Amino acid sequence: MIAGSTNDWLALGLGQKHTNDEQTKHYVVYNYVLHNPFSNRSLPLPELDAVIVQDSNRKHPLIVFQQGKGVWSPEPWAAPYTYLIDIAFLGDKLYAITTAEDLIPLDLALDEDGRPVVAMGTRVIKKSLRYDCYELLATFDEEDDDQNEEEEDDEDEEEGENNHMPCYINCSEEIARDVEPGNITVISWHLIESHGKLLMVRHRRQFHTDTLWVTLKVDVLEADFSTHDWVPLTGGLGGGQALFVSMDFSKSVSAPCGEVEEDAIYFMDTRDVFNMKSGTSSQSKFDRGATWVFPPEYQL
């Protein structure tokens, strides 16, 4: 069973099918491995086995481990980690985003016993206000919140109820509130490293019974660490690249290359391809629901 992928590696869950008393078949995973189909190398992940032993245990919002040194993970559905919807490395630093489009650094370290630990840093980009489930995010930067409390109160009064954002736990999608009858509009967010920068892709799409998913709008924004804000990219991605985006893994690759076009964003979950320069979308040549791996020559 394929559990995920990253670059040229596949995360595989090995096990077998079982049938319960109701004759319902289910797959029980006993161990996980990383497998590289290009080099034919395999790497066992015993630390992951200790956390995820059955499909019903896949509710941990974040799992960090090092071979031979142990594993760290918050409890399933544990706040505030459960509000993190996507993560990406920039150099050796790990970052996460929320549906409020906050950008939060995650500090990876080892404790006194040499086991991995994770601590949340101060938000680099802060978009959410302090209400509902996002009050939990105040623990990331309590001092900073105190300094900006008066400013945020003013924003509350100006924006009113339009600022309200519902909680969608451990998922990078939410159903938009301004849907029309008969149509479902969904927004998803994805965090991607590209050319030493952090990009966030905001994908708005609508479900139609005749054509299934139709892309309405795609925004690509770059994290500006000096102004602490998201800066929209216009006129293309730049740097001879394309983006492959999915709910499980997203990747920036060199383009043009083969059938991969420059300044294109390929959405695996909807089989859409969006052209950044023309601002139009069309059906992708790549199959929907496939698992992508990228040989070294495709990687930036």
Side-chain angles (χ1 to χ4, degrees):
M1 182 184 68
I2 297 176
S5 64
T6 177
N7 294 333
D8 49 347
W9 290 89
L10 285 170
L12 303 176
L14 305 181
Q16 60 184 357
K17 289 184 179 180
H18 290 265
T19 303
N20 58 22
D21 295 338
E22 289 76 26
Q23 300 303 306
T24 301
K25 294 183 179 180
H26 62 283
Y27 195 86
V28 177
V29 176
Y30 294 101
N31 54 72
Y32 289 86
V33 298
L34 282 178
H35 177 71
N36 191 313
F38 304 101
S39 64
N40 201 30
R41 292 179 55 203
S42 294
L43 184 66
L45 304 175
E47 289 83 4
L48 194 58
D49 298 340
V51 179
I52 307 178
V53 294
Q54 293 183 21
D55 183 71
S56 60
N57 289 340
R58 293 184 184 179
K59 298 180 177 65
H60 295 272
L62 181 66
I63 300 174
V64 177
F65 63 91
Q66 291 188 12
Q67 279 199 312
K69 295 185 177 181
V71 61
W72 177 93
S73 179
E75 292 297 322
W77 310 118
Y81 294 95
T82 193
Y83 301 108
L84 307 182
I85 59 170
D86 203 5
I87 59 176
F89 274 99
L90 181 62
D92 58 356
K93 189 76 172 181
L94 186 63
Y95 291 88
I97 56 172
T98 70
T99 54
E101 300 184 359
D102 293 338
L103 179 64
I104 305 166
L106 302 176
D107 298 322
L108 308 181
L110 299 176
D111 64 15
E112 60 275 8
D113 297 321
R115 295 173 300 191
V117 292
V118 175
M120 286 189 174
T122 300
R123 279 177 285 181
V124 176
I125 297 176
K126 183 174 64 172
K127 291 294 184 180
S128 65
L129 300 180
R130 293 179 300 169
Y131 45 68
D132 294 345
C133 63
Y134 290 101
E135 288 184 356
L136 294 166
L137 298 178
T139 58
F140 302 154
D141 49 359
E142 185 173 339
E143 294 182 0
D144 181 63
D145 278 355
D146 290 340
Q147 294 174 2
N148 292 282
E149 184 173 356
E150 182 177 347
E151 178 182 345
E152 290 181 355
D153 289 342
D154 293 338
E155 292 176 355
D156 279 340
E157 293 177 1
E158 293 176 3
E159 298 295 337
E161 293 184 359
N162 291 331
N163 262 335
H164 181 80
M165 178 172 289
C167 303
Y168 291 88
I169 295 177
N170 204 29
C171 179
S172 65
E173 291 185 330
E174 76 171 24
I175 298 177
R177 305 178 68 187
D178 55 348
V179 299
E180 298 179 359
N183 291 326
I184 300 175
T185 302
V186 173
I187 308 171
S188 63
W189 294 264
H190 312 269
L191 192 61
I192 309 169
E193 186 278 332
S194 176
H195 290 292
K197 301 176 180 179
L198 271 181
L199 303 181
M200 179 179 66
V201 175
R202 186 195 300 127
H203 184 203
R204 180 185 287 265
R205 60 193 186 274
Q206 195 169 67
F207 183 81
H208 293 264
T209 55
D210 52 347
T211 58
L212 297 182
W213 289 108
V214 175
T215 291
L216 299 179
K217 187 179 181 183
V218 177
D219 298 304
V220 181
L221 306 98
E222 177 187 334
D224 190 321
F225 287 80
S226 59
T227 63
H228 303 285
D229 205 354
W230 294 106
V231 179
L233 294 186
T234 58
L237 295 170
Q241 61 178 315
L243 301 180
F244 281 77
V245 176
S246 74
M247 297 301 295
D248 296 324
F249 176 66
S250 300
K251 174 70 177 175
S252 173
V253 301
S254 298
C257 187
E259 296 186 49
V260 179
E261 301 175 357
E262 185 179 4
D263 292 310
I265 304 177
Y266 297 90
F267 291 99
M268 174 177 132
D269 301 298
T270 61
R271 205 185 174 188
D272 268 1
V273 56
F274 182 82
N275 187 291
M276 280 287 292
K277 287 188 174 180
S278 67
T280 58
S281 63
S282 58
Q283 284 288 295
S284 172
K285 299 177 182 178
F286 302 101
D287 289 337
R288 178 177 180 269
T291 297
W292 294 331
V293 288
F294 302 91
E297 58 266 26
Y298 273 77
Q299 299 178 32
L300 293 176

